[in-house]
């Protein structure tokens, strides 16, 4: 049998070897809308046009790479750059590829591809892009599973060890001073245990509460599979434990330092609550759960705050210092607000909330690395305050307010640690000094949620803790711009000008006859004398007394921000609906008519009518310096009503100016004149209860219109 020659092999049929260009051409023909064998416009040359007399014509095409390279595309030798080559963009389109994205993978299509789709990337650029992708992937916590929990534990830097048992497996997540055991059965978390073997009994006394929070993070909601439940909360809590573990040493335990701060703050809280309780009993002999709740809220929102160890869904120490709508009970079934640190609501198509938990502002106390030469380091002690708790005003310090009794703070001794080999001070004269050092760790309070304050206020806050604002963090951001970030369609505001924000909200109104209607408000915010602002999310401190002194300032702007957000939507350029809380009555043991009417406005009854009148215009003016001041103007009894109030430290509201009490209600009779009689104190209390200008206006219209 004769061996076939190369020429006879070629004539026997088409070659099975296809170049990228001919392969793309084949796909373009296969997916062409024209019938087979029909000629039509073609941007991809056929293999016959790549050789012979037509080659010169093909080389003149601007899309043909042969006009840009010395060698034709169809060659027996592959290009040196293993990139994807196409005869024209239509070939890539037929493959469903994006040339721009392909170019970004290798810095551009070369070696016969399309040049100019992207510039060649250096190794540093590729490395940076890869790191960005990996950073993005690290932000994804994963789902509840054995592999997911192990992965997120290793991500925090802790060691993992599996132990097989008769029923299920146990994952031990260990650090130098912390141990978390997670028991699985059929890929479902059965139990979680938290222990700190090297810590004292005072620290381990709170471990069961921490373990319960971790187990709640690893438990899927009823009716939801674990694979559909994220590990975000578990990862955040485990990361918080891991940070303290990494900073701890054999000589210094950050867990002990945090526990000592909690013990001192708890002493202050119990003392202040006792004083408030005695004052309350003097005015009201009845003692019940509601009174205890009120006392807790009073100390938390007006005194030294409420320390909470492993509370809510957060592991660690939190100092709660403000509560939204604190004068309204959370619910009748569960009057306690403990652990409620976030808003959770469900809204139907009418914009009405079935439930709304009051938001709690807190400061999570942790530790972070910091050179002892730059900032005072942490100290481990349970005696930050004396056993007497208070002292006379004559011994008052600069950090205290001018009350009859002030907190009797103490100064614990520093922690001295041995110097690691090679870290001694070569300039030290005394060898005993060079053999010891202070820990390079400091306390830090992380605000949740962060607080927007004017720039000068931020400077004052940082001055209290003994630091200055980092110059690189100073940005030309305004107070109103941080509270309500500008939208894309919003134009720039001239320096010294007034910024205006418009929003329409639906307010559920309870009429005196029992009808519940919806009324639309057209709100306009005028931000005059725009002031520079700063978002504060972290505050380092060296002594708990510094944090307690800052609380009145934080409460001040927490209330200002809450009033603005409650009165305007997050999306201030579009229509939105007001979230109405669920409480049935305002919290006050001595209820007045004002409290009862506000309770009706804050009730959660759904509307039974719609109100189709024109929107009620409400103009709101905001000034932040020297004191936050809000003015509102709205129609009332065929007149224009206005009111101006200030918010001072500790979130105290003061009525500055108003004409509301001088407006005569329409058709007022002698029978209802007593009901409509109001005082400036009633206006102040209405603002404190509602913390919402829309509900406040409707209360006045119901009372006086």
């Amino acid at each position: 049998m004769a061996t076939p020659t190369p020429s006879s092999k070629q004539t026997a049929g088409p070659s099975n070897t296809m170049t990228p260009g001919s392969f793309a051409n084949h796909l373009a023909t296969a997916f062409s809308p024209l019938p087979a064998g029909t000629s039509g416009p073609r941007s991809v040359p056929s293999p016959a046009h790549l050789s012979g007399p037509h080659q010169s014509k093909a080389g003149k095409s601007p899309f043909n790479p042969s006009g840009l390279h010395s060698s034709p595309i169809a060659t027996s030798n592959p290009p040196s750059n293993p990139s994807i080559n196409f005869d024209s963009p239509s070939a890539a389109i037929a493959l469903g590829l994006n040339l721009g994205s392909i170019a970004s993978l290798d810095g551009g299509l070369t070696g016969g591809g399309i040049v100019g789709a992207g510039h060649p990337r250096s190794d540093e650029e590729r490395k940076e892009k890869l790191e960005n992708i990996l950073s993005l992937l690290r932000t994804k916590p994963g789902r509840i599973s054995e592999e997911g929990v192990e992965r997120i534990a290793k991500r925090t830097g802790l060691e993992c060890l599996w132990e097989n048992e008769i029923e299920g497996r146990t994952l031990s997540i260990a650090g130098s001073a912390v141990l978390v055991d997670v028991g699985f059965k059929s890929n479902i978390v059965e139990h979680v245990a938290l222990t700190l073997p090297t810590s004292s009994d005072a620290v381990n006394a709170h471990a069961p509460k921490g373990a319960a929070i971790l187990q709640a993070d690893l438990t899927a909601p009823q009716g939801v599979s674990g694979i559909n439940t994220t590990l975000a909360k578990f990862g955040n809590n485990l990361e918080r434990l891991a940070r303290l573990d990494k900073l701890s040493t054999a000589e210094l335990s950050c867990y002990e330092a945090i526990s000592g701060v909690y013990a001192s703050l708890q002493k202050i809280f119990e003392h202040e609550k006792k004083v408030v309780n005695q004052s309350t009993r003097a005015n009201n002999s009845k003692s019940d759960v509601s009174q205890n709740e009120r006392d807790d809220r009073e100390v938390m929102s007006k005194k030294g705050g409420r320390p909470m160890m492993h509370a809510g869904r957060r592991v660690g120490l939190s100092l709660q210092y403000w509560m939204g709508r604190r004068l309204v009970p959370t619910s009748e079934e569960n009057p306690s607000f403990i652990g409620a640190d976030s808003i959770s609501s469900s809204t139907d198509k009418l914009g009405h909330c079935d439930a709304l938990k009051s938001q709690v502002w807190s400061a999570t106390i942790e530790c972070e690395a910091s050179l002892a030469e730059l900032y005072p380091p942490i100290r481990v002690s349970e005696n930050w305050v004396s056993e007497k708790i208070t002292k006379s005003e004559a011994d008052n310090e600069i950090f205290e307010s001018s009350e009859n009794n002030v907190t009797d703070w103490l100064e614990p001794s520093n922690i001295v640690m041995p110097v690691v080999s090679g870290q001694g001070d070569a300039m030290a004269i005394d060898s005993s000094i060079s053999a010891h050092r202070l820990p390079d760790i400091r306390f830090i309070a992380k605000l949740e949620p962060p607080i927007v304050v004017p720039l000068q206020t931020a400077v004052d806050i940082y001055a209290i803790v003994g630091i200055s604002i980092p110059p690189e963090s100073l940005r030309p951001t305004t107070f109103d711009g941080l509270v309500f970030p500008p939208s894309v369609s919003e134009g720039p505001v001239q320096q010294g000008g007034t910024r205006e924000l418009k929003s329409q909200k639906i307010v559920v109104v309870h009429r005196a006859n029992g009808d519940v209607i919806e009324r639309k408000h057209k709100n306009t915010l005028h931000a005059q004398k725009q002031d520079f602002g700063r978002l504060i999310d972290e505050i380092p401190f060296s002594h708990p007394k510094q944090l307690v002194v800052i609380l009145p300032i934080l409460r001040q702007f927490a209330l200002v921000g809450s009033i603005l957000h409650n009165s305007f939507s997050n999306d201030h350029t579009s229509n939105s609906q007001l979230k109405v809380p669920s409480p049935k009555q305002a919290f006050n043991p001595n209820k007045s008519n004002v409290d009862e009417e506000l309770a009706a406005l804050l009730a959660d009854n759904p509307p039974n009518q719609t109100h189709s009148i024109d929107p009620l215009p409400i103009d709101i003016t905001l000034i932040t310096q020297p004191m936050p001041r809000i003015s509102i103007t709205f129609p009332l009894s065929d007149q224009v009503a206005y009111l101006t109030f200030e918010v001072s430290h500790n979130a105290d509201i003061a009525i500055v100016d108003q004409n509301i009490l001088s407006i005569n209600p329409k058709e007022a009779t002698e029978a209802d004149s007593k009901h409509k009689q109001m005082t400036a104190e009633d206006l102040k209390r209405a603002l404190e209860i509602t913390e919402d200008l829309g509900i406040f206006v409707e209360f006045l219209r119901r009372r006086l219109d």
Side-chain angles (χ1 to χ4, degrees):
M1 178 181 293
T3 303
T5 61
S7 58
S8 63
K9 182 178 181 180
Q10 293 177 359
T11 57
S15 174
N16 293 330
T17 303
M18 303 181 69
T19 64
S22 60
F23 176 70
N25 182 26
H26 173 72
L27 286 179
T29 305
F31 291 96
S32 174
L34 299 176
T38 304
S39 61
R42 304 183 62 177
S43 60
V44 183
S46 62
H49 284 74
L50 296 179
S51 59
H54 301 284
Q55 182 178 0
S56 58
K57 295 182 181 181
K60 296 180 181 180
S61 172
F63 298 105
N64 194 308
S66 60
L68 301 174
H69 297 272
S70 57
S71 60
I73 296 179
T75 176
S76 58
N77 297 324
S80 58
N81 191 339
S83 304
I84 304 176
N85 304 318
F86 299 104
D87 289 327
S88 73
S90 62
I93 295 174
L95 288 171
L97 300 177
N98 187 319
L99 293 178
S101 61
I102 296 176
S104 64
L105 295 176
D106 195 41
L109 297 177
T110 58
I114 297 179
V115 181
H119 66 281
R121 295 184 180 271
S122 63
D123 293 340
E124 291 297 329
E125 290 176 325
R126 295 175 183 172
K127 181 180 179 181
E128 180 181 358
K129 186 173 183 178
L130 181 60
E131 291 177 351
N132 292 336
I133 295 175
L134 293 177
S135 300
L136 180 61
L137 292 176
R138 293 190 191 100
T139 60
K140 304 299 181 181
R143 306 291 174 171
I144 296 180
S145 63
E146 294 182 358
E147 295 79 6
V149 174
E150 181 181 12
R151 185 185 308 110
I152 206 167
K154 290 182 177 179
R155 187 182 302 174
T156 61
L158 300 176
E159 298 293 333
C160 295
L161 177 64
W162 284 100
E163 295 182 6
N164 294 323
E165 301 176 352
I166 299 177
E167 295 183 356
R169 308 171 67 194
T170 298
L171 175 63
S172 297
I173 306 173
S176 60
V178 65
L179 175 63
V180 179
D181 291 326
V182 182
F184 289 90
K185 182 180 180 181
S186 300
N187 221 27
I188 298 177
V189 176
E190 291 290 326
H191 64 86
V192 176
L194 171 64
T195 55
L196 297 103
T198 61
S199 299
S200 63
D201 294 339
V203 176
N204 282 282
H206 304 286
K209 293 191 295 183
I213 294 175
L214 294 176
Q215 183 165 355
D217 295 339
L218 294 175
T219 302
Q222 187 175 4
V224 180
S225 173
I227 200 64
N228 295 325
T229 306
T230 179
L231 286 168
K233 293 182 179 180
F234 175 78
N236 293 335
N237 285 324
L238 191 63
E239 178 66 28
R240 192 173 293 112
L241 292 173
R243 283 197 297 266
L244 297 180
D245 184 80
K246 294 175 184 176
L247 294 173
S248 300
T249 61
E251 299 81 14
L252 172 63
S253 172
C254 291
Y255 301 105
E256 297 285 354
I258 297 296
S259 177
V261 173
Y262 168 78
S264 297
L265 293 177
Q266 184 66 17
K267 291 179 185 177
I268 299 174
F269 172 79
E270 292 174 353
H271 173 78
E272 292 177 336
K273 183 179 178 181
K274 181 180 179 181
V275 174
V276 171
N277 185 267
Q278 292 174 352
S279 176
T280 303
R281 288 188 177 184
N283 300 326
N284 182 18
S285 59
K286 183 180 179 180
S287 178
D288 52 17
V289 177
S290 298
Q291 178 180 322
N292 291 330
E293 177 189 0
R294 180 179 183 272
D295 295 341
D296 284 348
R297 295 185 182 189
E298 180 68 16
V299 175
M300 178 185 68
S301 302
K302 294 295 183 179
K303 304 294 183 179
R306 177 184 180 116
M308 301 290 289
M309 182 69 79
H310 305 320
R313 298 297 297 271
R314 185 181 299 111
V315 170
L317 173 59
S318 298
L319 181 62
Q320 299 175 343
Y321 62 88
W322 180 251
M323 179 180 183
R325 291 195 172 99
R326 63 185 180 88
L327 298 178
V328 180
T330 303
S331 64
E332 293 180 349
E333 296 78 16
N334 182 19
S336 178
F337 69 94
I338 297 174
D341 55 3
S342 62
I343 292 180
S344 61
S345 61
S346 58
T347 307
D348 58 18
K349 61 182 179 181
L350 295 177
H352 183 78
C353 290
D354 296 330
L356 177 64
K357 291 183 179 180
S358 297
Q359 184 177 13
V360 172
W361 280 254
S362 62
T364 302
I365 299 177
E366 301 182 18
C367 300
E368 70 172 5
S370 175
L371 293 177
E373 293 81 3
L374 300 179
Y375 195 80
I378 65 172
R379 289 170 280 181
V380 180
S381 174
E382 294 184 353
N383 299 318
W384 294 94
V385 64
S386 68
E387 293 297 330
K388 297 186 300 181
I389 309 299
T390 60
K391 61 182 179 180
S392 62
E393 186 180 0
D395 300 328
N396 191 12
E397 299 179 2
I398 188 174
F399 288 108
E400 301 296 342
S401 60
S402 58
E403 299 178 355
N404 294 332
N405 292 319
V406 295
T407 305
D408 186 16
W409 295 105
L410 301 178
E411 291 291 342
S413 58
N414 289 324
I415 300 297
V416 180
M417 303 177 62
V419 174
V420 181
S421 177
Q423 294 184 357
D425 189 357
M427 301 299 295
I429 299 177
D430 191 351
S431 59
S432 61
I433 298 178
S434 62
H436 298 84
R437 64 179 179 89
L438 297 176
D440 293 329
I441 308 171
R442 68 180 180 183
F443 290 118
I444 186 168
K446 298 183 178 181
L447 305 184
E448 299 180 8
I451 299 292
V452 178
V453 300
L455 180 59
Q456 183 57 48
T457 303
V459 173
D460 297 339
I461 290 176
Y462 286 119
I464 293 176
V465 297
I467 63 174
S468 58
I469 296 180
E472 62 273 10
S473 66
L474 295 177
R475 299 179 180 179
T477 53
T478 60
F479 179 86
D480 59 281
L482 292 173
V483 176
F484 297 113
S487 61
V488 178
S489 59
E490 186 177 350
V493 178
Q494 298 295 332
Q495 185 175 4
T498 300
R499 183 188 180 200
E500 292 188 358
L501 305 177
K502 298 182 182 296
S503 175
Q504 290 190 358
K505 303 184 74 69
I506 301 297
V507 180
V508 178
V509 180
H510 297 254
R511 287 181 167 178
N513 60 3
D515 291 338
V516 182
I517 66 172
E518 289 182 335
R519 177 171 288 141
K520 182 180 294 185
H521 286 183
K522 184 179 181 182
N523 300 332
T524 303
L525 175 64
H526 306 271
Q528 295 183 352
K529 300 179 181 179
Q530 286 191 308
D531 188 16
F532 288 110
R534 178 179 173 83
L535 185 70
I536 297 184
D537 56 355
E538 295 183 352
I539 303 175
F541 66 95
S542 59
H543 198 291
K545 66 181 178 182
Q546 298 173 326
L547 193 58
V548 173
V549 170
I550 295 174
L551 295 185
I553 305 177
L554 299 180
R555 292 171 182 143
Q556 176 186 20
F557 288 95
L559 178 59
V560 172
S562 180
I563 291 176
L564 293 175
H565 276 289
N566 290 340
S567 306
F568 286 81
S569 62
N570 292 330
D571 184 8
H572 48 264
T573 60
S574 62
N575 295 342
S576 63
Q577 295 169 334
L578 179 66
K579 297 179 178 179
V580 181
S582 60
K584 304 292 186 181
Q585 60 180 7
F587 187 90
N588 185 10
N590 303 317
K591 291 191 301 182
S592 63
N593 290 333
V594 173
D595 297 88
E596 292 175 353
E597 293 189 37
L598 288 171
L601 285 174
L602 292 173
D604 58 354
N605 299 322
N608 52 24
Q609 298 181 22
T610 58
H611 212 46
S612 59
I613 63 175
D614 295 335
L616 179 69
I618 302 177
D619 286 346
I620 304 170
T621 303
L622 171 66
I623 299 177
T624 58
Q625 292 293 344
M627 188 77 68
R629 176 176 292 190
I630 299 176
S631 301
I632 58 174
T633 304
F634 57 95
L636 179 65
S637 297
D638 293 336
Q639 301 183 48
V640 177
Y642 67 85
L643 179 141
T644 301
F645 64 94
E646 287 183 347
V647 181
S648 59
H649 287 180
N650 242 11
D652 292 333
I653 295 178
I655 304 299
V656 177
D657 190 17
Q658 54 84 24
N659 71 338
I660 296 174
L661 301 181
S662 62
I663 294 180
N664 295 321
K666 298 183 299 182
E667 302 178 357
T669 63
E670 184 178 355
D672 62 1
S673 60
K674 294 182 179 180
H675 174 73
K676 294 179 180 295
Q677 186 177 1
M678 293 183 63
T679 64
E681 186 65 24
D682 292 333
L683 298 178
K684 171 187 173 181
R685 181 160 185 82
L687 286 170
E688 291 176 340
I689 292 176
T690 60
E691 297 183 11
D692 188 305
L693 298 180
I695 299 179
F696 174 73
V697 167
E698 289 299 332
F699 160 72
L700 295 178
R701 287 171 59 84
R702 169 176 170 167
R703 191 76 181 268
L704 301 175
D705 199 347

